[in-house]
Amino acid sequence: RPALVSFLLFFGTARTPALHSKHDIPRPSKYVEVDYSTIDTYARNAPPSVTRNLNTLSAYLTAPAKSDLAKVRSVYAWITSHIRYDEMAFNGQRYSSETEYASRSLRGRKAVCTGFALLFKHLLKPAGIEVANIKGYARTFDSEAGQPIQRVDHEWNAVRLDGDWYLLDIAW
């Protein structure tokens, strides 16, 4: 029995991710499950009165969050439930500013990848979350494999949480 207890103590703790501070992000894995249901429900049920501009929506979505991860999750949940992907929303026009493009995506409730990425960035910026936009390439058809890349055709985000950068693509 003492050998079994020693075995469980050693191997049981070896699999548990060590937390270095109270601000470390719980990372979902087969050992740790994070329940997002409360913040998701809150974000998805944002009243229309707060969704009219970036600053009021950002303040609403991030107000109850107790961590940067919860702020990011709240913004993610709102965007994925209120903004639809619409290729017709892309008309090839250049935008005068990132904020203007994000605001247009918010007002129209539709976007392509750039709109999703800029909206995410500009809803988290007022909350003090560091977000970068990344422009690159996407292959969407099997027939494109092996073909030269013609132009930058996709945009997504990187978000800094607890000192580490994480990539995410809300459009897909």
Side-chain angles (χ1 to χ4, degrees):
R1 192 173 263 239
L4 176 62
V5 171
S6 297
F7 176 83
L8 289 175
L9 286 174
F10 177 76
F11 287 105
T13 57
R15 294 183 194 169
T16 305
L19 295 178
H20 303 290
S21 76
K22 67 178 185 171
H23 300 292
D24 278 353
I25 295 171
R27 289 167 174 81
S29 71
K30 64 182 181 178
Y31 305 110
V32 177
E33 188 173 315
V34 178
D35 179 11
Y36 298 112
S37 61
T38 302
I39 197 75
D40 286 357
T41 300
Y42 173 82
R44 289 182 178 127
N45 293 309
S49 61
V50 302
T51 65
R52 293 190 180 111
N53 71 59
L54 295 170
N55 289 331
T56 57
L57 182 56
S58 174
Y60 175 85
L61 292 174
T62 59
K66 294 182 177 17
S67 69
D68 288 349
L69 175 61
K71 291 175 185 178
V72 168
R73 180 62 187 212
S74 183
V75 168
Y76 170 86
W78 189 88
I79 291 173
T80 58
S81 63
H82 289 86
I83 306 295
R84 66 183 166 88
Y85 192 90
D86 182 11
E87 287 190 34
M88 297 305 293
F90 177 72
N91 54 20
Q93 294 179 355
R94 297 215 176 265
Y95 50 90
S96 58
S97 75
E98 287 187 353
T99 305
E100 183 270 324
Y101 194 104
S103 294
R104 186 175 358 140
S105 299
L106 175 62
R107 284 189 311 272
R109 298 292 196 269
K110 58 186 177 180
V112 291
C113 57
T114 299
F116 281 95
L118 289 174
L119 185 56
F120 182 78
K121 178 180 180 179
H122 288 279
L123 286 174
L124 286 168
K125 186 177 178 182
I129 306 295
E130 193 174 355
V131 178
N133 284 38
I134 301 168
K135 295 180 182 190
Y137 309 98
R139 303 276 184 153
T140 54
F141 301 105
D142 290 343
S143 61
E144 294 174 324
Q147 300 298 316
I149 296 171
Q150 300 298 321
R151 62 182 174 83
V152 170
D153 64 353
H154 196 57
E155 192 164 347
W156 60 97
N157 299 101
V159 61
R160 189 174 183 157
L161 297 170
D162 220 19
D164 294 323
W165 285 95
Y166 298 88
L167 298 174
L168 65 137
D169 189 337
I170 298 177
W172 286 356

